[in-house]
Amino acid sequence: MTLLKFIETEMLKDHSFWNEKFQSPPKEIDIGSPLRISAKRIENYLINLDDIIGTYHQSYQDKDFKTVCNYLIKNRGFNFEKFDVDDDNFLKSLSGKKDLNKYSGWGIFIYKGKGYIDNGNHRTVSAKLLAKCGKIANKIYVPLAFIAD
C-alpha cells in the first residue's frame, strides 16, 4: 500500500490521536531571531515521536494532527505515492540511522525535552502516523537535532 493510500485510509478512522496539536516553538528557540540560548548539534538523534510536539512551519502550527496530515497530502511537495508502507527498506529509512548526505533536510530542535520540527515536516509527520498505527517503532533517529536547554 502506498503511503498516500495509507494516510487516506487512516484519516477515515476515528483515532484518538487526531486531536493532538502541533505547537509553535517557544520564543526562546525562535530560529527567526537570534537564539537566546545555546544549542548543541547532534547527528542521528534518537527521539520518541510522542516528544515531537511542534513545528516551525507556520501552516502546521496550532493545527491538529488530522488537519496537518490532510494538508500534507493535498499540498504535496513530497511524493507519497512513491513509498510503500509494507516495504521494510522504506520503514527503516524513516526510523533507522541516517546518512546526513542523503537526509540533510531533516532536523528538529529539542527544548526542555520536546521536539519542534525545523525541516522535514512530511517525513516526521509520516513517521508519527506510521508509529501511531503500529507500522514502525515509536522511537526514530532524526538525522540532525539541536538540543537547547
Side-chain angles (χ1 to χ4, degrees):
M1 177 185 295
T2 67
L3 179 57
L4 175 62
K5 186 67 177 165
F6 180 81
I7 294 170
E8 291 172 339
T9 301
E10 292 304 317
M11 288 182 65
L12 298 173
K13 298 178 182 176
D14 188 26
H15 293 299
S16 60
F17 59 77
W18 287 135
N19 294 326
E20 294 176 13
K21 290 204 180 235
F22 282 87
Q23 300 174 19
S24 301
K27 290 178 183 161
E28 294 85 1
I29 59 168
D30 181 358
I31 59 176
S33 61
L35 284 178
R36 295 175 181 91
I37 52 179
S38 63
K40 179 180 173 185
R41 181 181 194 263
I42 298 178
E43 296 178 4
N44 278 304
Y45 182 77
L46 184 63
I47 188 166
N48 185 317
L49 286 163
D50 289 335
D51 289 334
I52 299 176
I53 62 166
T55 180
Y56 284 92
H57 196 299
Q58 292 180 343
S59 296
Y60 310 146
Q61 291 174 351
D62 305 314
K63 303 284 191 292
D64 64 59
F65 195 64
K66 190 171 190 175
T67 300
V68 170
C69 285
N70 191 46
Y71 184 86
L72 289 178
I73 62 173
K74 291 207 182 320
N75 303 298
R76 293 185 233 158
F78 188 75
N79 188 353
F80 289 98
E81 294 173 356
K82 169 176 144 179
F83 302 103
D84 182 348
V85 299
D86 298 313
D87 177 5
D88 286 338
N89 290 326
F90 167 63
L91 298 175
K92 286 177 189 170
S93 75
L94 284 176
S95 61
K97 288 191 174 183
K98 316 289 188 283
D99 176 348
L100 285 181
N101 293 321
K102 293 180 182 176
Y103 292 93
S104 61
W106 189 0
I108 58 172
F109 234 95
I110 307 294
Y111 182 65
K112 295 185 178 181
K114 300 299 178 188
Y116 300 87
I117 307 164
D118 175 36
N119 203 346
N121 283 280
H122 292 91
R123 288 171 277 209
T124 308
V125 172
S126 296
K128 280 182 73 86
L129 178 61
L130 289 164
K132 288 181 178 298
C133 295
K135 296 293 281 180
I136 63 172
N138 206 41
K139 286 189 175 185
I140 68 165
Y141 287 94
V142 175
L144 192 57
F146 295 92
I147 314 297
D149 290 315

